[in-house]
Amino acid sequence: MDRLKPTSAPPVLRSTHSRRARRPRSRARCGSWPPRGRSWFPIRPRVPLPRSAMRFSHALIHTVRETPSEAEVVSHRLMLRAGMIHKVAAGIYAYLPLALRSLTKIMAIVREEMVAAGAQELLMPAVQPAELWQQSGRWEQYGRELLRLHDRHDREFCLGPTHEEVITDIVRAQIRSWRQLPVNLFQIQAKFRDEIRPRFGLMRGREFIMKDGYSFDRDDAGASATYERMHAAYRRIFARCGLRCRPVEADSGAIGGSFSHEFMVLADSGEDAILACDTCAYAANQEKATCRPPAPPPPIDGPPPAPVATPGKKAVEEVAAFLHAEPSRFIKTLVYRAGERTVAALVRGDRAVNEIKLTHALGASGVVLASDAEVEGATGAPCGFVGPVGLPAGVEVWVDREVAAMASAISGANRADTHVTGVQPGRDFPLARVADLINAEAGDGCPRCAGTLQLFRGIEVGHVFKLGTKYSAAMGATFLDEQGEKIPAVMGCYGIGIGRTMAAAIEQNHDDDGILWPTPIAPFAVEIVLVREDDAASLEVAARLEEALTRAGHEPLVDDRAERPGVKFKDADLLGLPYCVILGPRGLKEGKVEIKTRATGERLEVAVDEAVAWLTTHLAAT
RNA sequence: CGGGGCGUGGCGCAGUCUGGUAGCGCACCUGCUUUGGGAGCAGGGAGUCGGAGGUUCAAAUCCUCUCGCCCCGACCA
């Protein structure tokens, strides 16, 4: 501020913040006036560009050349470099103007499709009373991910990680009769989940913007129809956002329920593993995916199990190498604690236990791998030498389907430094509890057809659940049916991570230079690079183009900064708007501008007067 | 919560082992030159070295405690 000495230019003359524009182009041209020091005699452009959000020189867009060290994935890195987001705390971000423009477009698409599919928008509070969560039973179930607060009267609240409780509270107060159903309600709002480890920028934040929708139907058939309608709407939403995405069958997780699909954007940086058939449409999250069940074993009648010394060999790999046998010939016995129960899970030596499947099989709320001491206490054998033959009665034995189908296997002997060979499931230990307990892997057979499963990584951008009556029954969201009978509504719930969708779009659409925005969700449609922003003729054309494009509904961003052209080109590539109009004295001499298509790098020269029409045609096509 | 790492101008880092003038690059400000793919020269502003104790004549540096952030794992959208 103290720099504004009498010699500096009066503010009124700062028609633009362009450094060059507010000082004489050339000292020589001005002779020796002013004699020395700062110029107070700026040349104004003939067509001054007023301050505007669409002028780079005044927009809050601060690009950086260096990659911030915290960014691990490309979307995070590019969003930081392009000045789209600002971290306020771990997993908590401010959305700067550029990001918000894109988010707003995604939200508009979501709204359109949700409304078209029969849903109504509402807005619920972010802060929710503990009471509602106690009614659904989730106050206890939901762990520390639920951020709990106390108000000044010491009453308990939480920050909403999701809104089943509140929506059910609303509907039970509003809905009395079957005539009012079905209803389908959604909101777009900031959610808060106190993630153990937020990471990857907007991909897994603690606060995040989510579209969450909830449907209430009279019966299961109605709920299924709504589910299908939402499923279809989601496909349209993600397609319109320019995402290549695939619905996969999913585990319904803590929200509870019976049937669910996740919408996965395929990306190497994805946190979820997906198995998809190479032949049919089967695709599922690895948490849920099954593979083709094994063929029943040929009947054999081998000798009884024989102990074999395996000193110090604990891991399957070690024992397998020691005995010169394939890991797939082993039975791996993993001891879990599920509440008060002690469970032995038997899987083939080359397989990994899927704890979610095990939890479901047990009907438990969760399982934890037992500690070494617990293992030894329960089985009498040190960890690494536990096996199914001769386990104490207190241990509940669960057998994977593949193990049940093994003709003869090697397992721990329940004695230190010893394994047994020739173990025959069914003969040497009971097959009372058999289930699918393993992670399906790439190369496994498809459960639906003769195809083979392949492994992909994906980012979950949307999730649809059929909830059933879990919340409506617990919280009394009932209505009277045609027979005058009071029954709970059948619910569904439908989420879309808005910020995550934007991040996923960048994951899927970028190159070494920056983002390649899909047109429908690009913050602006076109960037006009003023090669020489101090050139009056260029400014005049830029102003005309900007106005015409705006009138045509195209939202241009004009880079009028007093930077060298190279800087502007690099930033244009980084921001990645679909089209870039390069406007400089060189082309203007022939009445032309250059239009660059960001995604392909194609450039062509068009007459100034044709640029708007060209862009209109091409923007409409994408 | 377990394991690992990092906190030094807005950003990226050096300096810490071996205590002694806080430094570099980018960004920012000023001037001049330059101007179609991240310019050059000159000048300048900006840092309680995450915080609190302690040791010492002297602490970014050594010790103790604490807070924050990042990565791997378990958890989850």
Side-chain angles (χ1 to χ4, degrees), chain A residues 36-282:
Chain A
R36 52 184 289 106
R38 185 193 315 268
S39 151
W40 54 275
F41 189 66
I43 289 178
R44 290 165 159 199
R46 227 169 286 154
V47 184
L49 297 176
R51 289 181 83 107
S52 149
M54 295 195 178
R55 294 286 153 56
F56 210 136
S57 61
H58 296 109
L60 188 70
I61 304 173
H62 186 253
T63 59
V64 289
R65 199 179 319 188
E66 279 170 295
T67 304
S69 61
E70 68 191 65
E72 282 288 303
V73 296
V74 68
S75 61
H76 190 196
R77 192 164 67 234
L78 289 175
M79 278 192 269
L80 287 171
R81 285 235 288 135
M84 293 173 64
I85 55 173
H86 170 82
K87 186 170 75 179
V88 176
I92 300 176
Y93 289 86
Y95 307 102
L96 303 184
L98 209 54
L100 185 60
R101 291 185 70 96
S102 177
L103 290 171
T104 301
K105 292 189 176 186
I106 295 170
M107 291 189 274
I109 291 171
V110 169
R111 284 197 169 97
E112 271 179 46
E113 293 295 341
M114 289 301 290
V115 169
Q120 308 173 58
E121 186 169 2
L122 82 174
L123 186 57
M124 292 181 269
V127 176
Q128 308 179 10
E131 194 189 354
L132 290 179
W133 285 72
Q134 283 153 356
Q135 285 175 20
S136 72
R138 286 207 293 184
W139 189 254
E140 281 74 35
Q141 273 174 33
Y142 229 101
R144 286 197 299 280
E145 202 175 302
L146 186 66
L147 184 66
R148 297 156 210 251
L149 340 150
H150 295 264
D151 71 4
R152 63 167 68 198
H153 305 294
D154 215 33
R155 284 188 287 247
E156 288 186 293
F157 289 86
C158 63
L159 281 186
T162 174
H163 280 67
E164 281 82 5
E165 281 77 4
V166 177
I167 197 81
T168 307
D169 181 52
I170 291 168
V171 167
R172 74 181 165 187
Q174 307 285 332
I175 300 289
R176 294 275 98 105
S177 156
W178 64 274
R179 292 174 210 276
Q180 294 170 280
L181 296 179
V183 283
N184 190 348
L185 301 159
F186 76 98
Q187 64 172 347
I188 297 177
Q189 188 204 33
K191 295 280 185 282
F192 194 92
R193 295 186 190 171
D194 202 355
E195 285 289 336
I196 293 168
R197 186 150 87 83
R199 61 186 123 178
F200 301 155
L202 296 193
M203 207 82 95
R204 177 174 295 274
R206 292 194 292 171
E207 185 179 297
F208 56 99
I209 300 172
M210 180 168 164
K211 188 287 296 182
D212 50 324
Y214 308 89
S215 66
F216 296 80
D217 276 88
R218 293 163 60 186
D219 53 28
D220 198 65
S224 293
T226 305
Y227 182 91
E228 289 310 322
R229 223 171 18 253
M230 287 295 107
H231 193 282
Y234 272 38
R235 296 192 87 122
R236 282 195 298 274
I237 287 168
F238 294 121
R240 282 184 62 187
C241 288
L243 288 169
R244 296 174 293 285
C245 121
R246 170 155 202 179
V248 307
E249 294 177 20
D251 184 74
S252 37
I255 297 178
S258 46
F259 198 59
S260 117
H261 282 91
E262 290 168 342
F263 286 75
M264 291 286 187
V265 169
L266 300 183
D268 291 338
S269 59
E271 292 188 84
D272 289 283
I274 301 157
L275 288 148
C277 178
D278 60 5
T279 308
C280 74
Y282 180 76

Side-chain angles (χ1 to χ4, degrees), chain A residues 79 149 178 219 339 398 423 426 453 460 469 538:
Chain A
M79 278 192 269
L149 340 150
W178 64 274
D219 53 28
W398 282 83
V423 174
L453 297 181
E460 180 185 352
T469 57
S538 297

